């Protein structure tokens, strides 16, 4: 992923979290903590782990790799088998 894409993903995640916090218009009530903290922590963790996984992959410079099976021949031109190659 490029730097611009990473920044856009983080900005979109921050916007979504901010928007969900701002849109709550109900009165504040004292009640025990429920699912809210767990769901919020899960979403935040998923965003961080997803970003780390996306950043660890090869960068997209020359396009995606294409893989396929190619026939292999020996020095005498006899078919030996197939080999998986990526280019």
């Amino acid at each position: 992923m490029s730097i611009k894409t990473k920044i856009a993903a983080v900005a979109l995640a921050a916007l979504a979290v901010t928007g969900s916090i701002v849109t709550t218009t109900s009165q504040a009530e004292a009640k025990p903590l429920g699912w809210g903290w767990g769901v919020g922590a899960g979403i935040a963790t998923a965003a961080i782990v997803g970003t780390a996984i996306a950043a660890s992959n090869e960068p997209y410079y020359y396009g995606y790799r294409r893989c396929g099976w190619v026939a292999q021949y020996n020095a005498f031109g006899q078919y030996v088998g197939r080999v998986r190659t990526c280019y």
Side-chain angles (χ1 to χ4, degrees), residues 7-67:
I7 292 172
V10 170
L12 183 62
L15 183 65
V17 170
T18 305
S20 66
I21 292 171
V22 171
T23 57
T24 58
T25 57
S26 63
Q27 290 287 344
E29 298 176 7
K31 56 184 176 181
L33 298 175
W35 285 81
W37 287 101
V39 171
I43 291 172
T45 304
I48 291 170
V49 170
T51 304
I53 291 172
S56 68
N57 291 337
E58 289 183 9
Y60 176 77
Y61 292 129
Y62 305 108
Y64 294 107
R65 293 182 353 174
R66 292 172 182 85
C67 298

